[in-house]
């Protein structure tokens, strides 16, 4: 059977770092509150004139370099983003152009913070079908541009960045000892649209709008939904929590990571944590965390990884990946 295997990862963070103390000078908050409630110490902010497509292109180049491939080897680009440079064209086609590609298929996926899990699952299905061989799956966001910088309940939580992986078709045995993507599960529930949303859009207000969130309620759903979908995904691959070497989670809040690990009976030492340095970068957070742990040597060949995310919609999902 065909398996899609991640053969390279890359990421990019804008140079400008915004620390908690600097934020506390702008809105009524404190380093102590942000750190205690979220685990966030700092976030990166895109420069003027630096767009989501620039972040995504830099991450894609790094992933291609790690895979030892050229852009011309890629036949599929899927970009997960809620902050495309423009309403259209798709950010993926802008990245395709910036990579210098004149062929292949490129499109965006909108599933907010779960976007990378959605994009990875779609790319896997397209590769396993036999129609595509080499995919760039990118999560890229500039949430700084849709934040209400006067709302302390949300502006302290998010940052900008991008992460990317190169997926390639390989032959597998069908056993869960294969390297590559073993299983994924996605969910959506539109009844919760009003707990995390942007209050504008091209088809309604004609404006971009700003992010709004009922944080406490999102938190409650996140822990339950994430623990459930992680268990469901492991079961689909015939695996157990005790088989997991690394959880590579969406980085919304350290307390969510701790509570979810507890529910699965996993020690927090097996969770890749980047929320302290990156804050919540929405669709970019899972590939950013993955690239961090690959490059620092924590993730080793044949390790079982469990990727997970939950976000606006609600949308949520997980993927079991043998490294
Ligand atoms: O990526 C998509 C998924 N997103 C998430 O998963 C986010 C999930 N939610 C969370 O991470 C947390 O709910 C938050 C970090 C957003 C908030 O933490 P919390 O412990 O749930 O706090 P809260 O919303 O219950 O607010 C507690 C208090 C409130 O004051 P009162 O009403 O108790 O007087 C807030 O007004 O903290 C206040 N508060 C702040 N205080 C200082 C809210 N934001 C701040 C702030 N600084 N930045």
């Amino acid at each position: 059977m065909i398996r899609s295997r991640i053969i390279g990862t890359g990421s990019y963070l804008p140079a400008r770092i915004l620390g908690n103390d600097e934020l506390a000078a702008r809105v009524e908050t404190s380093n102590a509150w942000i750190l205690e409630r979220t685990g966030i110490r700092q976030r990166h902010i895109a420069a003027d004139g630096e767009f989501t497509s620039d972040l995504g292109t830099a991450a894609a180049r790094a992933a291609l370099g790690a895979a030892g491939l050229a852009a011309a080897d890629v036949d599929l680009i899927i970009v997960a983003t809620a902050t495309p440079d423009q309403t259209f064209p798709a950010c993926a086609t802008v990245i395709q152009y910036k990579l210098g590609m004149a062929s292949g298929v490129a499109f965006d996926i909108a599933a907010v913070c779960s976007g990378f899990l959605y994009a990875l699952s779609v790319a896997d299905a397209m590769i396993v079908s036999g129609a595509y061989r080499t995919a760039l799956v990118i999560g890229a966001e500039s949430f700084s541009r849709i934040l209400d910088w006067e709302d302390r309940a949300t502006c302290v939580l998010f940052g900008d960045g991008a992460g990317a992986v190169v997926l390639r078709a390989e032959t597998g045995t069908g056993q869960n000892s294969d390297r590559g993507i073993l299983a994924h599960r996605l969910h959506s529930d539109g009844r919760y649209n009003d707990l995390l949303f942007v209050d504008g859009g091209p088809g309604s207000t004609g404006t971009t709008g700003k992010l709004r969130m009922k944080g406490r309620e999102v938190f409650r759903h996140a822990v339950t939904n994430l623990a459930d979908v992680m268990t469901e995904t492991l079961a689909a691959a015939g695996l157990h929590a005790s088989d997991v070497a690394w959880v590579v989670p969406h980085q919304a809040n350290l307390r969510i990571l701790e509570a979810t690990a507890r529910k699965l009976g996993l020690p927090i030492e097996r969770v890749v944590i980047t929320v302290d340095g990156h804050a919540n970068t929405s669709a970019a957070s899972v590939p950013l965390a993955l690239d961090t742990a690959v490059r620092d040597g924590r993730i080793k060949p044949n390790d079982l990884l469990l990727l997970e995310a939950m976000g606006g919609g609600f949308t949520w999902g997980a993927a079991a990946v043998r490294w």
Side-chain angles (χ1 to χ4, degrees), residues 29 33 37-38 113 152-153 215-216 250 252-253 255-256 280:
T29 187
W33 191 94
R37 300 294 183 112
T38 71
C113 298
R152 67 173 184 176
R216 202 178 306 186
H250 172 49
N253 187 321
R255 286 155 52 218
I256 294 179
N280 182 345

Side-chain angles (χ1 to χ4, degrees), residues 6 13 68 82 150 172 180 185 201 227 244 255 259 271 322:
I6 300 176
L13 290 161
E150 287 175 7
R185 289 291 182 271
V244 175
R255 286 155 52 218
V271 181
R322 174 93 49 207

Side-chain angles (χ1 to χ4, degrees):
M1 68 171 295
I2 300 174
R3 289 275 194 203
S4 29
R5 186 159 83 83
I6 300 176
I7 59 163
T9 64
S11 60
Y12 174 80
L13 290 161
R16 160 114 166 89
I17 291 174
L18 176 60
N20 291 347
D21 284 333
E22 201 180 331
L23 264 176
R26 291 196 206 168
V27 288
E28 203 182 325
T29 187
S30 64
N31 176 49
W33 191 94
I34 301 171
L35 202 51
E36 185 190 314
R37 300 294 183 112
T38 71
I40 297 168
R41 292 176 189 277
Q42 60 171 49
R43 68 287 292 141
H44 292 249
I45 304 291
D48 288 345
E50 186 178 43
F51 302 129
T52 296
S53 65
D54 298 313
L55 277 48
T57 302
R61 285 207 178 100
L64 285 169
L69 294 182
D73 298 322
V74 173
D75 54 10
L76 174 65
I77 302 179
I78 308 182
V79 176
T81 188
T83 48
D85 305 3
Q86 297 149 275
T87 303
F88 75 81
C91 197
T93 61
V94 181
I95 292 175
Q96 181 190 29
Y97 169 71
K98 288 183 176 174
L99 288 173
M101 291 168 60
S103 64
V105 170
F107 62 93
D108 289 359
I109 278 191
V112 208
C113 298
S114 314
F116 184 77
L117 267 300
Y118 272 65
L120 191 74
S121 304
V122 171
D124 179 54
M126 291 175 78
I127 286 176
V128 167
S129 76
Y132 296 86
R133 280 195 53 77
T134 310
L136 261 172
V137 182
I138 304 167
E141 301 278 18
S142 316
F143 260 47
S144 63
R145 298 211 167 87
I146 56 165
L147 294 176
D148 174 352
W149 287 100
E150 287 175 7
D151 175 17
R152 67 173 184 176
T154 54
C155 77
V156 305
L157 302 174
F158 295 90
D160 301 337
V165 303
V166 179
L167 279 184
R168 195 161 60 182
E170 292 194 352
T171 304
T173 64
Q175 308 294 308
N176 61 22
S177 54
D178 283 350
R179 295 178 73 189
I181 297 176
L182 301 176
H184 41 76
R185 289 291 182 271
L186 301 174
H187 294 278
S188 319
D189 192 339
R191 288 176 299 169
Y192 300 105
N193 261 321
D194 60 343
L195 296 183
L196 176 49
F197 63 100
V198 166
D199 62 3
S204 52
T205 58
T207 61
T208 307
K210 298 292 178 198
L211 182 147
R212 307 290 169 203
M213 176 165 71
K214 296 195 176 109
R216 202 178 306 186
E217 285 161 76
V218 177
F219 189 111
R220 198 167 43 82
H221 284 279
V223 175
T224 308
N225 290 348
L226 288 170
D228 286 352
V229 76
M230 288 160 83
T231 306
E232 182 191 0
T233 304
L234 284 171
L239 294 161
H240 304 278
S242 56
D243 298 312
V244 175
W246 294 103
V247 177
V248 186
H250 172 49
Q251 311 280 327
N253 187 321
L254 182 58
R255 286 155 52 218
I256 294 179
L257 305 188
E258 289 167 344
T260 311
R262 218 169 18 245
K263 270 201 153 200
L264 258 85
L266 281 167
I268 193 72
E269 289 73 27
R270 278 203 257 157
V271 181
V272 177
I273 297 167
T274 52
V275 68
D276 51 334
H278 303 169
N280 182 345
T281 57
S282 181
S285 82
V286 170
L288 263 165
L290 178 65
D291 187 50
T292 302
V294 167
R295 284 179 192 262
D296 69 20
R298 267 180 284 177
I299 292 175
K300 300 201 166 45
N302 293 306
D303 275 356
L304 178 70
L305 314 183
L306 192 54
L307 282 49
E308 51 92 328
M310 143 104 191
F314 289 149
T315 56
W316 64 104
V321 178
R322 174 93 49 207
W323 197 250

